[in-house]
Amino acid sequence: NAGVMQNPRHLVRRRGQEARLRCSPVKGHSHVYWYRQLPEEGLKFMVYLQKENIIDESGMPKERFSAEFPKEGPSILRIQQVVRGDSAAYFCASSFDRAVLPNEAFFGQGTRLTVV
Amino acid sequence: GESVGLHLPTLSVQEGDNSIINCAYSNSASDYFIWYKQESGKGPQFIIDIRSNMDKRQGQRVTVLLNKTVKHLSLQIAATQPGDSAVYFCAENFGDTDKLIFGTGTRLQVFP
């Protein structure tokens, strides 16, 4: 009964490189949410995806950030040309259906991105 | 140079005492609220939730109180234990959206 799996747990990138963060939702879940957490702060919503569709990307930076959730495989959060300000923990949550009750969305353990 | 970040407010309690963690939420239209516990290096873990048509809800050792007049939420933990040490976040949700708006968090430290 695996929960939300995120990998890698830790990722170090040099400025200008690309970061790819992966999220495998709970088996049977077709809705994925990405959040970003800066040190000593709360989580900030980034994007909500269903299989092959972006439903709400109101929290995504306009440039360099993209997300996908293909029909097969994990959801990917991609950050191009990373800068030091991208250093944060990125969390993924998944739910079976549209989370009428958001507590039904389970969070993964996060990917901690460090840009050097 | 190194930037100075914000420090989370910290609540220190003695083991066995009751803890009260407070949260001010932002949107008067929010109709659903959740408390999460986050341990170091882990993702948020659901604790308890409450809808806006209620003002109190109890779980096992935890109680959430909602005051919509002043947009205030509190989490009460009875007989606090060392395992309760973590950062606690409130989160709000409104309308048909699925996204959660998280508060800034409070660090709970339990000492013997």
Side-chain angles (χ1 to χ4, degrees):
Chain A
N1 225 2
V4 176
M5 303 299 292
Q6 290 188 247
N7 66 83
R9 291 292 309 276
H10 300 274
L11 181 61
V12 179
R13 284 287 177 265
R14 293 186 185 279
R15 281 179 294 172
Q17 290 185 320
E18 178 180 284
R20 289 169 64 90
L21 289 62
R22 287 177 290 277
C23 169
S24 297
V26 172
K27 187 176 181 182
H29 285 191
S30 60
H31 298 241
V32 164
Y33 314 82
W34 285 93
Y35 289 81
R36 175 165 64 175
Q37 184 178 34
L38 295 173
E40 303 285 290
E41 293 187 13
L43 283 71
K44 298 286 194 297
F45 171 81
M46 298 181 75
V47 62
Y48 162 38
L49 309 103
Q50 292 178 24
K51 285 282 188 181
E52 300 184 277
N53 287 305
I54 297 174
I55 307 302
D56 180 351
E57 56 181 345
S58 58
M60 287 280 270
K62 299 296 182 204
E63 298 176 345
R64 301 188 297 109
F65 285 71
S66 63
E68 62 178 14
F69 189 18
K71 187 176 181 181
E72 301 291 337
S75 176
I76 305 288
L77 179 68
R78 180 184 299 158
I79 311 172
Q80 296 178 301
Q81 299 175 323
V82 296
V83 300
R84 287 213 171 120
D86 298 331
S87 296
Y90 292 83
F91 289 96
C92 170
S94 75
S95 65
F96 174 71
D97 199 341
R98 178 173 178 170
V100 175
L101 295 176
N103 67 359
E104 296 172 353
F106 299 95
F107 282 89
Q109 300 283 37
T111 292
R112 277 144 190 87
L113 172 66
T114 302
V115 179
V116 297
Chain B
E2 185 176 359
S3 62
V4 177
L6 294 172
H7 293 286
L8 290 171
T10 299
L11 175 66
S12 295
V13 300
Q14 190 163 22
E15 183 178 355
D17 285 353
N18 297 333
S19 303
I20 299 177
I21 300 171
N22 296 304
C23 175
Y25 63 91
S26 58
N27 191 335
S28 56
S30 292
D31 56 10
Y32 182 67
F33 306 88
I34 307 173
W35 278 101
Y36 284 95
K37 173 186 181 183
Q38 187 177 29
E39 295 173 287
S40 181
K42 296 186 178 181
Q45 177 186 354
F46 170 85
I47 302 174
I48 191 168
D49 59 357
I50 189 168
R51 287 208 169 275
S52 59
N53 60 354
M54 304 171 68
D55 53 22
K56 180 179 180 179
R57 189 160 189 233
Q58 287 185 290
Q60 187 178 13
R61 273 202 315 119
V62 295
T63 301
V64 55
L65 298 177
L66 174 62
N67 185 331
K68 295 183 288 294
T69 303
V70 294
K71 293 192 287 185
H72 184 268
L73 199 65
S74 70
L75 176 71
Q76 300 178 1
I77 305 173
T80 313
Q81 302 168 1
D84 295 327
S85 295
V87 177
Y88 290 80
F89 293 98
C90 66
E92 59 188 295
N93 173 266
F94 51 89
D96 293 332
T97 67
D98 295 282
K99 57 191 174 191
L100 294 169
I101 310 298
F102 280 80
T104 52
T106 296
R107 176 170 285 116
L108 176 65
Q109 294 179 333
V110 183
F111 57 93

